[in-house]
Coordinates of all heavy atoms in Angstrom, one line a residue:
H18 N 100.3 -92.7 146.0 CA 100.7 -93.9 146.7 C 99.7 -94.3 147.7 O 99.4 -95.5 147.9 CB 102.1 -93.5 147.4 CG 102.7 -94.7 148.1 ND1 102.5 -95.1 149.4 CD2 103.6 -95.6 147.6 CE1 103.2 -96.1 149.7 NE2 103.9 -96.5 148.6
D19 N 99.1 -93.4 148.5 CA 98.1 -93.7 149.5 C 96.9 -94.4 148.8 O 96.3 -95.3 149.4 CB 97.7 -92.5 150.2 CG 98.7 -91.9 151.2 OD1 99.7 -92.7 151.4 OD2 98.6 -90.8 151.6
A20 N 96.5 -93.9 147.6 CA 95.3 -94.4 147.0 C 95.5 -95.8 146.4 O 94.5 -96.6 146.4 CB 95.0 -93.4 145.8
F21 N 96.7 -96.1 146.0 CA 96.9 -97.4 145.3 C 97.8 -98.4 146.1 O 98.0 -99.5 145.6 CB 97.5 -97.2 143.9 CG 96.5 -96.5 143.0 CD1 96.5 -95.2 142.8 CD2 95.6 -97.3 142.3 CE1 95.6 -94.6 142.0 CE2 94.7 -96.7 141.5 CZ 94.6 -95.3 141.3
G22 N 98.1 -98.1 147.3 CA 98.6 -99.1 148.2 C 100.1 -99.2 148.3 O 100.8 -98.7 147.4
P23 N 100.6 -99.9 149.3 CA 102.0 -100.0 149.6 C 102.8 -100.8 148.5 O 104.0 -100.7 148.5 CB 102.1 -100.7 150.9 CG 100.8 -101.5 151.0 CD 99.8 -100.7 150.3
D24 N 102.1 -101.6 147.7 CA 102.8 -102.4 146.7 C 103.1 -101.6 145.4 O 103.7 -102.1 144.5 CB 102.0 -103.6 146.3 CG 101.9 -104.6 147.5 OD1 102.8 -104.6 148.3 OD2 100.9 -105.3 147.5
L25 N 102.7 -100.3 145.3 CA 102.9 -99.5 144.2 C 104.5 -99.3 144.0 O 105.1 -98.9 145.0 CB 102.2 -98.1 144.3 CG 102.4 -97.2 143.2 CD1 101.5 -97.7 142.0 CD2 101.9 -95.8 143.6
E26 N 105.0 -99.5 142.9 CA 106.4 -99.4 142.6 C 106.6 -97.9 142.1 O 105.9 -97.4 141.3 CB 106.9 -100.3 141.5 CG 106.8 -101.8 142.0 CD 107.3 -102.8 140.9 OE1 107.6 -102.3 139.8 OE2 107.3 -104.0 141.2
V27 N 107.7 -97.3 142.7 CA 108.0 -95.9 142.4 C 109.4 -95.9 141.9 O 110.4 -96.2 142.6 CB 107.8 -95.0 143.5 CG1 108.3 -93.6 143.2 CG2 106.4 -95.0 144.0
Y28 N 109.6 -95.5 140.6 CA 110.9 -95.5 140.0 C 111.4 -94.0 139.9 O 110.7 -93.1 139.4 CB 110.8 -96.0 138.5 CG 110.5 -97.5 138.4 CD1 109.2 -97.9 138.6 CD2 111.5 -98.4 138.1 CE1 108.9 -99.3 138.5 CE2 111.2 -99.8 138.0 CZ 109.9 -100.2 138.2 OH 109.6 -101.5 138.1
A29 N 112.6 -93.8 140.3 CA 113.2 -92.4 140.3 C 114.7 -92.5 140.3 O 115.3 -93.5 140.8 CB 112.7 -91.7 141.6
Y30 N 115.3 -91.5 139.7 CA 116.8 -91.4 139.6 C 117.3 -91.0 141.0 O 118.3 -91.7 141.5 CB 117.2 -90.4 138.5 CG 118.7 -90.3 138.3 CD1 119.3 -91.2 137.4 CD2 119.5 -89.4 139.1 CE1 120.7 -91.1 137.2 CE2 120.8 -89.3 138.9 CZ 121.4 -90.2 138.0 OH 122.8 -90.1 137.8
A31 N 116.8 -90.0 141.6 CA 117.3 -89.5 142.8 C 116.5 -90.1 144.0 O 115.4 -90.7 143.8 CB 117.2 -88.0 142.9
D32 N 117.0 -90.1 145.2 CA 116.4 -90.6 146.3 C 115.0 -89.9 146.6 O 114.9 -88.7 146.4 CB 117.3 -90.5 147.6 CG 116.8 -91.4 148.7 OD1 116.1 -92.4 148.5 OD2 117.1 -91.0 149.9
H33 N 114.1 -90.7 147.1 CA 112.8 -90.1 147.5 C 112.2 -91.1 148.6 O 112.4 -92.3 148.4 CB 111.8 -90.0 146.3 CG 110.5 -89.3 146.7 ND1 109.5 -89.9 147.3 CD2 110.1 -88.0 146.4 CE1 108.5 -89.1 147.5 NE2 108.9 -87.9 147.0
P34 N 111.6 -90.6 149.6 CA 111.0 -91.5 150.6 C 110.2 -92.6 150.1 O 110.1 -93.7 150.7 CB 110.2 -90.6 151.5 CG 110.9 -89.2 151.4 CD 111.3 -89.2 149.9
L35 N 109.5 -92.4 149.0 CA 108.6 -93.4 148.4 C 109.2 -94.2 147.3 O 108.6 -95.1 146.7 CB 107.3 -92.8 147.9 CG 106.4 -92.1 149.0 CD1 105.2 -91.4 148.4 CD2 106.0 -93.2 150.0
R36 N 110.5 -93.9 146.9 CA 111.1 -94.6 145.8 C 111.3 -96.1 146.2 O 111.8 -96.4 147.3 CB 112.5 -94.0 145.5 CG 113.1 -94.7 144.3 CD 114.5 -94.0 144.0 NE 115.5 -94.4 144.9 CZ 116.8 -94.0 144.8 NH1 117.2 -93.3 143.8 NH2 117.7 -94.3 145.8
T37 N 110.9 -97.0 145.4 CA 111.2 -98.4 145.6 C 112.2 -99.0 144.6 O 112.8 -100.0 144.8 CB 109.9 -99.3 145.4 OG1 109.4 -99.1 144.1 CG2 108.8 -98.8 146.4
E38 N 112.4 -98.3 143.4 CA 113.3 -98.7 142.4 C 114.2 -97.5 142.0 O 113.7 -96.5 141.5 CB 112.6 -99.3 141.2 CG 111.6 -100.4 141.5 CD 112.2 -101.7 141.9 OE1 113.4 -101.9 141.6 OE2 111.5 -102.5 142.6
A39 N 115.5 -97.7 142.2 CA 116.4 -96.6 141.7 C 116.7 -96.9 140.2 O 117.0 -98.1 139.8 CB 117.7 -96.6 142.5
I40 N 116.6 -95.9 139.3 CA 116.9 -96.1 137.9 C 118.1 -95.2 137.6 O 118.4 -94.2 138.1 CB 115.7 -95.7 137.0 CG1 115.2 -94.3 137.4 CG2 114.7 -96.8 137.2 CD1 114.0 -93.9 136.4
E41 N 118.9 -95.8 136.6 CA 120.1 -95.1 136.1 C 120.1 -95.1 134.6 O 119.3 -95.9 134.0 CB 121.4 -95.8 136.7 CG 121.5 -95.8 138.2 CD 122.7 -96.5 138.6 OE1 123.4 -97.1 137.7 OE2 123.1 -96.5 139.8
D42 N 121.0 -94.3 134.0 CA 121.1 -94.3 132.6 C 121.4 -95.7 132.1 O 122.3 -96.4 132.6 CB 122.3 -93.4 132.2 CG 122.4 -93.2 130.7 OD1 121.6 -92.5 130.1 OD2 123.4 -93.8 130.1
G43 N 120.7 -96.1 131.0 CA 120.9 -97.4 130.5 C 119.9 -98.5 131.0 O 119.9 -99.6 130.4
D44 N 119.3 -98.2 132.1 CA 118.3 -99.2 132.6 C 117.1 -99.2 131.7 O 116.9 -98.4 130.8 CB 117.8 -98.7 134.0 CG 118.8 -99.0 135.1 OD1 119.8 -99.7 134.8 OD2 118.6 -98.5 136.2
T45 N 116.2 -100.2 131.9 CA 115.0 -100.3 131.1 C 113.8 -100.4 132.1 O 114.0 -101.0 133.2 CB 114.9 -101.5 130.2 OG1 115.1 -102.7 131.0 CG2 116.0 -101.4 129.1
V46 N 112.7 -99.8 131.8 CA 111.5 -99.8 132.6 C 110.3 -100.1 131.6 O 110.3 -99.7 130.5 CB 111.2 -98.5 133.4 CG1 112.3 -98.3 134.4 CG2 111.1 -97.4 132.4
V47 N 109.3 -100.9 132.2 CA 108.1 -101.2 131.4 C 107.1 -100.1 131.7 O 106.7 -100.0 132.9 CB 107.6 -102.6 131.6 CG1 106.3 -102.8 130.9 CG2 108.6 -103.6 131.2
I48 N 106.6 -99.4 130.7 CA 105.5 -98.5 130.9 C 104.3 -99.0 130.0 O 104.5 -99.0 128.8 CB 105.9 -97.1 130.5 CG1 107.1 -96.6 131.4 CG2 104.7 -96.1 130.6 CD1 107.7 -95.3 131.0
G49 N 103.2 -99.3 130.6 CA 102.1 -99.8 129.8 C 102.5 -101.2 129.2 O 102.9 -102.1 129.9
D50 N 102.5 -101.2 127.8 CA 102.9 -102.5 127.2 C 104.2 -102.3 126.4 O 104.5 -103.1 125.4 CB 101.8 -103.0 126.2 CG 101.4 -101.9 125.2 OD1 102.0 -100.8 125.1 OD2 100.4 -102.2 124.4
E51 N 105.0 -101.3 126.7 CA 106.3 -101.1 126.0 C 107.5 -101.0 127.0 O 107.3 -100.6 128.1 CB 106.3 -99.8 125.2 CG 105.3 -99.9 124.0 CD 105.5 -98.7 123.1 OE1 106.6 -98.5 122.6 OE2 104.6 -97.9 122.9

């Protein structure tokens, strides 16, 4: 996070100080080009 800046999005199911996006079962996320 420090290396790539404050705009880095962090997806996680459980809470984390750096989490920006909460994900749940059935959600979709884009990884690379998929």
Side-chain angles (χ1 to χ4, degrees):
H18 187 271
D19 289 346
F21 290 94
D24 294 332
L25 184 69
E26 296 180 356
V27 177
Y28 293 76
Y30 183 90
D32 192 27
H33 187 281
L35 295 177
R36 185 180 72 175
T37 62
E38 307 289 339
I40 52 177
E41 299 180 354
D42 186 72
D44 286 350
T45 58
V46 296
V47 175
I48 299 171
D50 57 3
E51 292 189 59

